[in-house]
Amino acid sequence: MASEVEDAAAVLPVFRREFYDCLTARADALFELTDAVLCTEGPVRSLVGLSLAPEHRRGHGALYDAVSHGRLDVDRLRRAVDRLPLPRMADGRLVLAVDVTSWLRPDAPTSSDRLFCHVYGRARSQSQLIPGWPYSFVAALEPGRTSWTAILDVVRLGPADDATAVTAGQIRAVVGRLVAAGHWCDGDPDVLVVMDAGYDVTRLAYVLADLPVELLGRIRCDRVLRLPKPPRRPGVNGRPPKHGPEFALDKPATWPEPQHTTVTETTRYGTATAASWDRLHPRLTHRTSWIDHLGDLPVIEGTLIRLQVDHLPGDRTPKPLWLWCSTTGATPTQVDRWWQAFLRRFDLEHTFRMFKQTLGWTRPKIRGPRAADRWTWLLVAAHAQLRLARSLARDLRRPWEKPAPPGRLTPARVRRGFRNIRAAMPLPASAPKPARPGPGRPPGTRNRRPAPHHDVGKTVKRELTMTAHEQREG
């Protein structure tokens, strides 16, 4: 424990200095704004309210000017975050999670680059499409049940972006920076990347086949996969089959005997039974993401896992969970490691809740998407400082809260004592200079330059059939 405190006391000041160097314009105001987010009492309710924090020594005008017109070297900040100590699983493996969460802006017609974001309603099986800015996050997961993750990258999805292509670029860039930072070397176990059902995991496995990664994703329970093609019998003429029999996830009659079946006793879900089948693949067609593929479509084989538990929290009826991994020839130990790592993906939801409810990520009414990206990266830097200060913070719990053991403080409790930690840290920002506020718009005059309105939705549409695609290309 003493070594962890010493390491945190040494790494945190270095990261704060590096973060300040990443701010290339309005650096002092942006740095103090980040400190105000970390030190203010209670959740962040508004952006202007942060100017009242003692850590923010400038006025509210400087705060808005920094968010709107400041500059941040995002690439340098990415490298600084990736050089920090990262959590690992018990076998020393890095596990990354990718997910998309939305900054909803339904009442902002003057904000550009908004998309229709899928949001679940309060009632069961009820969903809505609300305009907003979707952001794709990549985070490193920790072993065991925790509310901590290490945010490594975040990218806003624009109207012309393909979600699969953006995710592939993110994973490739993050893995490259981890290798450059020394977190992965030749001979280390492959990095495991987990994702939910909204991702095309087979497409990502094909695009990222040259990286030292294993991709694990949940697939829908109504999917139909194909078994390996059967061996060719002697004396049979004709073209050999490319795919084997169908494997319908919702039809047990099509399931052959699994290669491996493991039973694990858990404290949260009861008995967990995992059955796995090797070398299952989807039958691809020249549609959607494969419409631009030249030549024959590949056969992307992997391991299919069916996870069944006794019960779920809240007395909900358990349904089987289907997972597909890009690795073939798995052992029972690998199958257990995969589904247990996938359950850790839900820790990223705690980070999203921390960003939105405590740090106030979606509270500001920011008009421009670039300013929204700048504010997002400020909170990523703030969350990284909270993670570094875990071993330095004291448990300043409320009288009605249960005491937390050392090293088990939640991000909100670490933030509660960050003001005391900041007092012992160097402050790169310089003192504000006396200034007089501008005159602003004269009273009684109207705004003669109204902001333009922007449509919501994708600006690039791709044909769904090869015939339409060839006609458009021709």
Side-chain angles (χ1 to χ4, degrees):
M1 185 66 182
S3 60
E4 294 181 2
V5 174
E6 294 176 357
D7 294 341
V11 175
L12 182 56
V14 175
F15 176 76
R16 286 172 60 85
R17 169 61 67 177
E18 182 67 19
F19 169 57
Y20 180 78
D21 294 338
C22 295
L23 307 173
T24 57
R26 277 82 170 181
D28 296 336
L30 290 175
F31 189 86
E32 291 187 355
L33 174 61
T34 308
D35 277 357
V37 172
L38 291 169
C39 299
T40 189
E41 184 69 21
V44 176
R45 301 298 184 185
S46 63
L47 186 61
V48 69
L50 295 174
S51 63
L52 302 178
E55 290 74 17
H56 192 275
R57 299 174 292 178
R58 290 159 173 83
H60 63 278
L63 183 147
Y64 279 106
D65 183 67
V67 174
S68 300
H69 304 289
R71 286 196 299 271
L72 173 65
D73 191 346
V74 176
D75 293 335
R76 182 174 179 177
L77 183 56
R78 283 191 176 107
R79 294 191 296 268
V81 171
D82 292 339
R83 286 195 298 266
L84 298 178
L86 295 181
R88 296 176 180 268
M89 294 299 168
D91 59 349
R93 185 186 305 266
L94 286 172
V95 177
L96 306 182
V98 294
D99 203 357
V100 175
T101 186
S102 301
W103 183 342
L104 301 181
R105 295 304 310 276
D107 54 350
T110 59
S111 297
S112 60
D113 295 348
R114 291 184 303 160
L115 300 177
F116 287 107
C117 304
H118 185 270
V119 179
Y120 288 99
R122 291 184 177 273
R124 180 173 296 182
S125 302
Q126 182 182 8
S127 60
Q128 302 174 356
L129 292 176
I130 300 178
W133 290 315
Y135 281 84
S136 176
F137 284 78
V138 178
L141 303 181
E142 295 192 358
R145 294 171 55 185
T146 178
S147 55
W148 286 96
T149 61
I151 301 296
L152 302 179
D153 192 33
V154 55
V155 172
R156 177 175 49 84
L157 301 178
D161 292 334
D162 180 78
T164 302
V166 172
T167 303
Q170 273 189 288
I171 296 175
R172 185 175 297 276
V174 169
V175 172
R177 293 195 299 268
L178 294 180
V179 172
H183 291 296
W184 188 91
C185 302
D186 291 336
D188 293 345
D190 291 344
V191 179
L192 180 62
V193 183
V194 297
M195 59 196 70
D196 208 0
Y199 290 89
D200 191 349
V201 60
T202 55
R203 173 70 176 177
L204 291 173
Y206 176 78
V207 175
L208 304 175
D210 58 324
L211 295 181
V213 296
E214 297 176 350
L215 282 89
L216 177 67
R218 183 170 68 94
I219 58 178
R220 300 194 313 268
C221 60
D222 58 350
R223 289 284 301 273
V224 178
L225 302 180
R226 291 299 185 110
L227 294 167
K229 64 179 181 180
R232 188 173 179 83
R233 297 180 180 178
V236 177
N237 299 325
R239 183 179 179 181
K242 191 175 181 180
H243 308 281
E246 289 187 348
F247 188 108
L249 272 60
D250 56 353
K251 296 180 180 179
T254 62
W255 305 350
E257 287 296 324
Q259 275 77 19
H260 304 291
T261 301
T262 61
V263 179
T264 306
E265 295 294 334
T266 65
T267 58
R268 186 174 178 85
Y269 305 104
T271 303
T273 305
S276 63
W277 293 264
D278 194 22
R279 297 181 58 194
L280 266 77
H281 62 275
R283 182 174 182 177
L284 305 177
T285 59
H286 280 98
R287 289 176 177 267
T288 60
S289 60
W290 297 97
I291 195 170
D292 296 323
H293 185 82
L294 302 177
D296 295 336
L297 292 173
V299 176
I300 308 174
E301 295 182 336
T303 302
L304 180 67
I305 303 172
R306 182 182 185 270
L307 179 64
Q308 181 68 56
V309 298
D310 287 342
H311 54 81
L312 295 176
D315 296 332
R316 291 179 296 171
T317 303
K319 295 182 180 180
L321 187 70
W322 292 94
L323 305 174
W324 187 90
C325 185
S326 60
T327 302
T328 58
T331 62
T333 303
Q334 288 178 303
V335 173
D336 284 341
R337 173 168 52 81
W338 286 339
W339 69 259
Q340 292 174 13
F342 178 81
L343 296 183
R344 299 275 61 80
R345 190 204 67 82
F346 296 99
D347 297 339
L348 193 55
E349 302 296 336
H350 296 286
T351 301
F352 292 158
R353 188 179 297 109
M354 176 72 182
F355 267 56
K356 294 181 179 181
Q357 297 183 2
T358 304
L359 301 183
W361 176 42
T362 59
R363 287 290 183 174
K365 303 300 182 181
I366 296 176
R367 175 186 297 177
R370 293 183 179 179
D373 297 344
R374 194 174 300 115
W375 169 249
T376 301
W377 273 105
L378 292 181
L379 295 190
V380 171
H383 188 266
Q385 295 183 57
L386 290 178
R387 185 166 58 89
L388 294 175
R390 291 171 63 178
S391 57
L392 302 176
R394 296 176 55 191
D395 186 12
L396 303 179
R397 64 184 183 90
R398 302 291 187 258
W400 54 86
E401 295 176 343
K402 295 181 179 180
R408 297 293 298 176
L409 294 180
T410 63
R413 290 199 184 186
V414 174
R415 175 177 174 265
R416 193 177 295 167
F418 192 85
R419 176 173 291 176
N420 301 330
I421 301 174
R422 178 183 177 273
M425 294 291 138
L427 183 61
S430 59
K433 299 179 181 179
R436 183 175 300 175
R441 187 190 309 162
T445 60
R446 299 180 59 184
N447 182 16
R448 300 186 181 276
R449 293 184 297 177
H453 287 50
H454 301 274
D455 296 332
V456 183
K458 289 285 188 180
T459 58
V460 176
K461 295 184 179 180
R462 184 168 48 191
E463 304 294 345
L464 298 179
T465 62
M466 280 296 297
T467 303
H469 178 69
E470 293 175 353
Q471 291 176 354
R472 187 183 67 177
E473 292 295 330

